[in-house]
Amino acid sequence: MRKQIVAGNWKMNKTASETRALLEELQAQLPATSAGVMVAPTFVNLTGAVEQLGGSAIEVVAQNMHFADSGAYTGEISADMLADIGIQTVILGHSERRAYFGEDDALLEKKTAQAISKGMQVIFCFGEELEDRKAGKHFEVVASQLKNALFGLPDTAWGQIILAYEPVWAIGTGETASPEQAQEMHAFIRKIVADAYTPEVADAVTILYGGSVKPGNAAEIFSKPDVDGGLIGGASLNAEDFSAIVAAIG
Ligand code: PGA
């Protein structure tokens, strides 16, 4: 069985005291689940979150990371810095990083390779824009994002990869891909991973859906056979909503 995961990407939200308060609420409200539950507070709140959650089943993950070991990269954070405070998983390639901070496939290839070589797990985000979908190019765009950034990795790296398909037109817009659209794309993704590697690698990789997942639509999206959970933005900032989404995965 593939690992199911529900991850909350808090983006640039929540101060230290708000982070503490939301984590307290989550600890009190989250339902028991066999799925992995992750939260991604902002960098300055990672240490506090790890300390607060020590021993709990909620994993604290980072939203980004630099590709270099260390050095003159003002404002950046390295894999070793994250590992040293107990972070084992990093989100890379989020569409906001791509759109607002110029992250392209070549940069993401370097970041992913670095995270893998440091023994970290990567939640790798990708997805087409609205124009791509309207033009019928969504499969092509997704295939090239994966090929360019990930398909140079050895088979053995895939145990550290979690994929997160996030159609850009569905992020923060209230518009979700239909469960059928999500399933269609996830099945396609699994097929191209099988073609590039092996059916076993493809079958084992967790593929999350992200983009306006809410308590009201989560169960239907998660019920699709190739959807192994979700990467949740807005709804992860509210303990009740995030708990309901975790409950929807069972
Ligand atoms: P959203 O964000 O749930 O607010 O649409 C998803 C994401 O950006 O990961």
Side-chain angles (χ1 to χ4, degrees):
M1 249 289 265
R2 282 189 291 274
K3 180 81 184 155
Q4 291 186 303
I5 293 170
V6 178
N9 173 12
W10 292 7
K11 309 189 180 182
M12 194 175 74
N13 293 293
K14 304 288 178 190
T15 62
S17 53
E18 289 166 351
T19 297
R20 247 187 324 273
L22 178 53
L23 292 177
E24 258 168 41
E25 284 176 31
L26 286 174
Q27 283 188 290
Q29 290 183 31
L30 276 177
T33 177
S34 56
V37 177
M38 300 176 175
V39 291
T42 191
F43 281 135
V44 290
N45 294 321
L46 290 177
T47 302
V50 169
E51 285 170 6
Q52 186 178 345
L53 293 177
S56 111
I58 308 172
E59 182 182 350
V60 181
V61 313
Q63 297 177 18
N64 183 28
M65 191 199 89
H66 196 267
F67 61 79
D69 282 349
S70 63
Y73 298 100
T74 301
E76 292 291 324
I77 304 284
S78 73
D80 286 342
M81 292 171 187
L82 294 174
D84 192 50
I85 59 164
I87 302 293
Q88 291 160 356
T89 302
V90 61
I91 299 171
L92 293 176
H94 191 277
S95 69
E96 288 146 19
R97 299 296 317 170
R98 294 175 188 258
Y100 308 142
F101 303 97
E103 298 199 2
D104 61 10
D105 292 349
L107 178 73
L108 293 170
E109 182 182 27
K110 284 162 69 170
K111 288 190 175 201
T112 304
Q114 173 73 351
I116 298 293
S117 82
K118 294 289 183 176
M120 295 185 74
Q121 183 167 243
V122 173
I123 300 177
F124 185 83
C125 306
F126 55 95
E128 82 283 1
E129 299 194 23
L130 186 58
E131 307 86 83
D132 303 321
R133 186 161 277 266
K134 280 187 177 154
K137 287 191 181 156
H138 42 298
F139 294 117
E140 202 181 300
V141 167
V142 160
S144 87
Q145 287 171 328
L146 293 179
K147 177 169 171 284
N148 293 341
L150 299 187
F151 288 179
L153 291 169
D155 284 39
T156 49
W158 279 78
Q160 289 162 258
I161 298 280
I162 296 162
L163 298 176
Y165 168 60
E166 301 203 302
V168 178
W169 47 272
I171 296 179
T173 58
E175 183 142 357
T176 11
S178 67
E180 293 68 32
Q181 284 173 321
Q183 168 56 27
E184 183 186 35
M185 183 59 87
H186 283 221
F188 171 76
I189 293 162
R190 222 176 280 289
K191 180 180 178 315
I192 58 176
V193 174
D195 291 347
Y197 291 90
T198 61
E200 290 72 28
V201 168
D203 195 46
V205 69
T206 293
I207 311 179
L208 309 181
Y209 169 79
S212 297
V213 177
K214 303 276 183 267
N217 60 23
E220 207 186 343
I221 294 171
F222 296 163
S223 72
K224 295 296 177 190
D226 287 297
V227 177
D228 306 312
L231 181 56
I232 321 300
S236 72
L237 298 171
N238 176 287
E240 213 167 288
D241 287 353
F242 191 63
S243 300
I245 293 169
V246 171
I249 205 155

